[in-house]
Amino acid sequence: MFQILYRFFALGLDVIPAVILIVPIMLIAQHVLFNPMSIGRKLLMIIFGIYLSGVFLVVGIPSITTIRIDLVFNLIPIIDIVNDPIAYIVNTLLNILLFMPLGFLMPVIWKEYRSMKKTVLFGFGLSVMIELLQMFTFRLTDIDDLIFNTIGAAAGYYIYILFLKYKPEKEKAELTAASETSENRLELPIVFAIVFLIMFLVRPVISNALWSVMLQ
């Protein structure tokens, strides 16, 4: 029980600095760089940015304070199941769940990604980037993560489709109208760049400072 509480506490010390930075910077970007949009869409975009920061934190991308080269690969799919089937299944489910919000949120926010192909391709590309970045951390670069993250993005997209199917027509129309606001095609790259730079450059410095204070 203590270990679980400590893990949540440690996660909080890492997530809170990211959220504190992401929210105001995203609001400024929305005001300065993006076309006018509804409050609901602004909120969804901020939620997406916070979600991305959580993904980067969970998967363990390198940071300016921890970058290292550690070339450890697994290029054979599903082979690790023979070592510990239960742990493998749990890890597989977590990989799928991790990318399901991506598959759901992207078509909700950006009409361009109401194509399953584009959404799943983005999820695949993000997973490839993460696996390549893990060569500069202590983490294993694993083809299984790539496969199941992509499946998670596809599952999230199907949830979006079901969400639309069973949502009342009036609310569906409001949701569509909110996201049909004139979009800047650079919105997603800018959101992605903001989150990545915060997680790579700034968050680790603040988190380390918080840990130093806590351990004194």
Side-chain angles (χ1 to χ4, degrees):
M1 183 65 180
F2 175 77
Q3 290 180 341
I4 295 174
L5 291 174
Y6 176 80
R7 183 162 184 167
F8 276 108
F9 175 75
L11 187 63
L13 282 184
D14 285 332
V15 169
I16 290 172
V19 172
I20 290 173
L21 291 167
I22 286 170
V23 172
I25 292 175
M26 288 280 289
L27 287 172
I28 293 170
Q30 288 170 348
H31 180 72
V32 176
L33 301 175
F34 301 160
N35 295 329
M37 63 182 74
S38 67
I39 294 176
R41 190 158 181 268
K42 287 181 179 181
L43 180 60
L44 282 170
M45 205 174 290
I46 290 172
I47 290 172
F48 183 79
I50 294 171
Y51 160 74
L52 269 185
S53 71
V55 170
F56 290 149
L57 188 61
V58 168
V59 300
I61 65 168
S63 70
I64 195 171
T65 60
T66 61
I67 192 166
R68 53 177 283 187
I69 297 177
D70 190 4
L71 303 180
V72 182
F73 302 93
N74 171 35
L75 301 178
I76 305 175
I78 314 180
I79 192 171
D80 286 341
I81 196 171
V82 299
N83 298 324
D84 189 340
I86 294 177
Y88 181 87
I89 292 170
V90 170
N91 187 63
T92 295
L93 292 174
L94 290 176
N95 277 321
I96 292 172
L97 289 171
L98 183 65
F99 270 59
M100 284 175 64
L102 179 85
F104 179 82
L105 287 171
M106 290 189 67
V108 169
I109 302 171
W110 292 285
K111 58 185 177 181
E112 179 182 355
Y113 288 92
R114 289 178 191 158
S115 158
M116 180 179 181
K117 180 180 178 181
K118 287 187 176 182
T119 298
V120 174
L121 187 60
F122 184 90
F124 174 79
L126 176 59
S127 187
V128 168
M129 186 201 81
I130 288 170
E131 295 305 312
L132 292 176
L133 286 173
Q134 286 181 338
M135 293 190 296
F136 302 95
T137 69
F138 61 91
R139 301 261 182 145
L140 170 71
T141 297
D142 194 341
I143 192 170
D144 287 345
D145 293 346
L146 176 60
I147 293 170
F148 293 113
N149 287 343
T150 306
I151 290 173
Y157 184 85
Y158 274 114
I159 292 173
Y160 163 74
I161 296 299
L162 290 173
F163 174 75
L164 286 184
K165 182 178 180 181
Y166 292 105
K167 194 172 182 64
E169 289 299 322
K170 181 181 177 181
E171 293 183 22
K172 187 190 302 185
E174 291 173 354
L175 174 65
T176 302
S179 60
E180 289 291 344
T181 308
S182 179
E183 293 181 4
N184 182 338
R185 294 182 67 86
L186 294 178
E187 281 179 4
L188 179 56
I190 290 171
V191 170
F192 191 90
I194 287 171
V195 175
F196 182 82
L197 290 174
I198 287 174
M199 297 302 291
F200 181 77
L201 294 173
V202 186
R203 194 277 310 167
V205 175
I206 297 176
S207 293
N208 289 343
L210 288 175
W211 274 109
S212 296
V213 171
M214 295 295 300
L215 295 175
Q216 284 181 352

